[in-house]
């Protein structure tokens, strides 16, 4: 029999979450961000599920774009980090890929390229994230060079928000004002809003938005937020009980004996551990569910197994365990593990098969 660990991906939930992004930014195009294997959900299958309605897809690099093209995806694809070498412009031209341009070398390589087709580019402005992008003071100086380039079909102006998930911070609005000052007088569409900005900062929506984490049903916020309440979790990470043990008060569990039983305790052992992507540093008390009933993690997570509290529950070997999904939210597990949902989804390893519904 196969090991019981599996990640069940609900494609209907992903469609729902994409439509939520479109409804919130009603007049904008929405590029579904499916980099990093669609945040661990399977880029090809997610793209196939969304292609009929998505305005396009965003990936990190050309390898991810080529995987989609090779699978038959014909929708627009945006390289969010642009090309890494001038030679990649040849592939980008051949595969009709749109490009983010965020540094001087990319700009120079683009301007001297001789593509067969015209490129669609997204010019990135660094308004405070301080990873990629041209300084706001540089934009107007380089704009005439782009306007004069005969092999550009379109230019979209973009930036990325650093604190849109912090609802009490005004940094997003500061970045927006910095962006608008940098591009004032330039005629081009804007692509600004990531998932938290789509959900909570409507002033940032403009012409094109980039739903990422929200596609997969996890809220980017640490507190309740009205629009995020409508997200539907897309990944259900599951396994099963492989052993049940009765321990007396005072006994300890697992490596280091981190958890000490305060009373007689029924302990379940689950066939899933940190080698499968579950966070090793998850704390005692992290929520987990058996047969749809919530309980708690107890003891340190092992490579292939973890332990949970079954005291008072009527369970048997083989019963299904949900690590995160609809009964236990990934945001809850992330908070209890001092991490973020992104790392949970992208951390699910290859030995956990993905299965799809919808």
């Amino acid at each position: 029999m196969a090991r019981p660990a599996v990640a069940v991906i609900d494609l209907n939930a992903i469609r729902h979450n994409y439509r939520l992004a479109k409804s919130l930014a009603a007049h904008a195009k929405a590029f579904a961000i499916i980099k990093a294997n669609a945040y661990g959900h399977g880029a090809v299958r997610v793209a196939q599920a969304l292609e009929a309605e998505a305005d396009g897809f965003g990936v990190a690099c050309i390898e991810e774009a080529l995987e989609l093209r090779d699978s038959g995806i014909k929708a627009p694809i945006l390289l969010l980090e642009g090309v890494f070498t001038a030679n990649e412009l040849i592939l980008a031209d051949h595969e009709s890929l749109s490009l983010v341009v965020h540094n001087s070398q990319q700009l120079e390589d683009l301007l001297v390229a001789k593509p067969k087709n015209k490129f669609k580019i997204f010019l990135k402005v660094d308004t405070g994230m301080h990873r990629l992008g041209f300084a706001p003071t540089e934009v107007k100086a380089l704009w005439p060079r782009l306007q004069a380039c005969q092999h550009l079909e379109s230019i979209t102006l973009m930036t990325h928000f650093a604190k849109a998930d912090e609802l009490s911070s005004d940094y997003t609005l500061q970045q927006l004002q910095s962006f608008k000052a940098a591009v004032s007088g330039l005629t081009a569409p804007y692509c600004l809003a990531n998932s938290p900005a789509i959900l909570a900062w409507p002033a940032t929506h403009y012409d094109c938005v980039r739903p990422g984490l929200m596609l997969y049903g996890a809220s980017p916020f640490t507190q309740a937020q009205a629009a995020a309440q409508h997200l539907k979790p897309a990944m259900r990470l599951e396994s099963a009980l492989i052993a049940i043990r009765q321990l007396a008060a005072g006994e300890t569990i697992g490596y280091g004996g981190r958890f000490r039983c305060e009373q007689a305790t029924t302990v379940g052992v689950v066939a899933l551990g940190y080698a499968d992507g579950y966070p090793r540093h998850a704390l005692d008390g992290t929520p987990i569910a058996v047969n749809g009933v919530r309980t708690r993690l107890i003891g340190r997570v092992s490579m292939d197994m973890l332990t949970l509290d079954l005291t008072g529950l009527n369970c048997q070997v083989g019963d299904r365990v949900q690590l995160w999904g609809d009964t236990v939210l990934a945001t809850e597990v992330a908070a209890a593990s001092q991490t973020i949902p992104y790392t949970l989804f992208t951390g699910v390893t290859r030995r956990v098969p993905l299965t799809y519904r919808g």
Side-chain angles (χ1 to χ4, degrees):
M1 293 182 65
R3 187 166 179 261
V6 64
V8 182
I9 309 300
D10 184 347
L11 296 174
N12 282 329
I14 293 174
R15 294 186 190 98
H16 164 86
N17 297 329
Y18 179 82
R19 292 165 188 161
L20 177 62
K22 289 285 285 186
S23 70
L24 292 169
H27 302 293
K29 292 183 177 180
F31 272 62
I33 305 305
I34 57 173
K35 62 182 180 176
N37 199 29
Y39 293 39
H41 293 68
V44 170
R45 291 297 298 270
V46 171
Q48 290 170 339
L50 288 176
E51 187 173 26
E53 55 191 295
D55 297 306
F57 298 104
V59 298
C61 56
I62 204 161
E63 292 86 354
E64 293 179 340
L66 294 178
E67 178 187 28
L68 298 178
R69 287 288 187 249
D70 290 345
S71 71
I73 300 299
K74 300 185 185 304
I77 298 174
L78 174 64
L79 300 180
L80 293 166
E81 294 172 27
V83 295
F84 299 123
T85 66
N87 288 337
E88 288 187 352
L89 287 170
I90 300 172
L91 275 174
D93 177 30
H94 184 265
E95 301 295 341
S96 299
L97 305 178
S98 300
L99 313 171
V100 168
V101 177
H102 60 76
N103 65 43
S104 297
Q105 187 61 58
Q106 287 180 336
L107 175 63
E108 298 303 325
D109 290 342
L110 175 69
L111 292 176
V112 300
K114 300 185 184 301
K116 294 181 179 179
N117 306 290
K118 292 186 176 183
F119 285 121
K120 296 178 180 179
I121 71 162
F122 287 59
L123 186 69
K124 191 160 195 175
V125 185
D126 179 12
T127 59
M129 184 74 173
H130 299 323
R131 290 187 315 192
L132 305 177
F134 293 93
T137 54
E138 296 179 289
V139 177
K140 289 179 183 176
L142 60 84
W143 187 253
R145 301 181 68 198
L146 291 171
Q147 292 289 92
C149 182
Q150 297 299 305
H151 53 267
L152 296 187
E153 179 178 337
S154 64
I155 305 169
T156 299
L157 295 162
M158 73 183 302
T159 196
H160 192 66
F161 295 120
K163 298 184 180 182
D165 58 340
E166 299 181 20
L167 297 174
S168 61
S169 172
D170 65 356
Y171 195 68
T172 298
L173 297 180
Q174 291 178 33
Q175 284 191 258
L176 178 59
Q177 291 307 311
S178 176
F179 175 84
K180 291 169 72 174
V183 304
S184 64
L186 308 183
T187 302
Y190 297 168
C191 181
L192 310 181
N194 53 3
S195 287
I198 294 168
L199 291 163
W201 302 93
T204 68
H205 290 171
Y206 285 96
D207 306 289
C208 182
V209 298
R210 306 186 302 273
L213 181 67
M214 69 176 295
L215 283 182
Y216 310 104
S219 172
F221 308 110
T222 57
Q223 67 236 65
Q225 193 274 337
Q229 301 299 312
H230 298 288
L231 296 170
K232 293 184 178 180
M235 178 188 288
R236 196 168 70 242
L237 182 64
E238 296 182 347
S239 191
L241 295 174
I242 59 171
I244 297 175
R245 303 179 62 83
Q246 303 294 333
L247 297 184
E251 295 286 355
T252 60
I253 299 172
Y255 287 116
R258 183 181 75 181
F259 182 85
R260 184 178 298 275
C261 300
E262 296 181 354
Q263 60 185 4
T265 302
T266 303
V267 179
V269 181
V270 182
L272 189 136
Y274 62 76
D276 303 295
Y278 195 86
R280 182 181 181 273
H281 46 286
L283 301 175
D284 292 328
T286 299
I288 194 168
V290 184
N291 296 332
V293 178
R294 288 167 62 102
T295 181
R296 59 178 180 152
L297 177 79
I298 50 176
R300 185 177 295 167
V301 176
S302 301
M303 180 180 287
D304 312 297
M305 292 174 281
L306 53 79
T307 45
L308 69 161
D309 189 354
L310 296 180
T311 306
L313 302 180
N314 183 20
C315 298
Q316 58 187 1
V317 169
D319 284 352
R320 299 301 295 173
V321 177
Q322 183 182 116
L323 291 309
W324 62 71
D326 50 359
T327 304
V328 175
L329 298 180
T331 49
E332 296 180 276
V333 179
S337 307
Q338 298 178 318
T339 187
I340 54 177
Y342 301 81
T343 65
L344 300 186
F345 297 148
T346 60
V348 173
T349 65
R350 290 184 177 181
R351 72 172 185 172
V352 178
L354 302 182
T355 65
Y356 293 89
R357 295 180 180 174

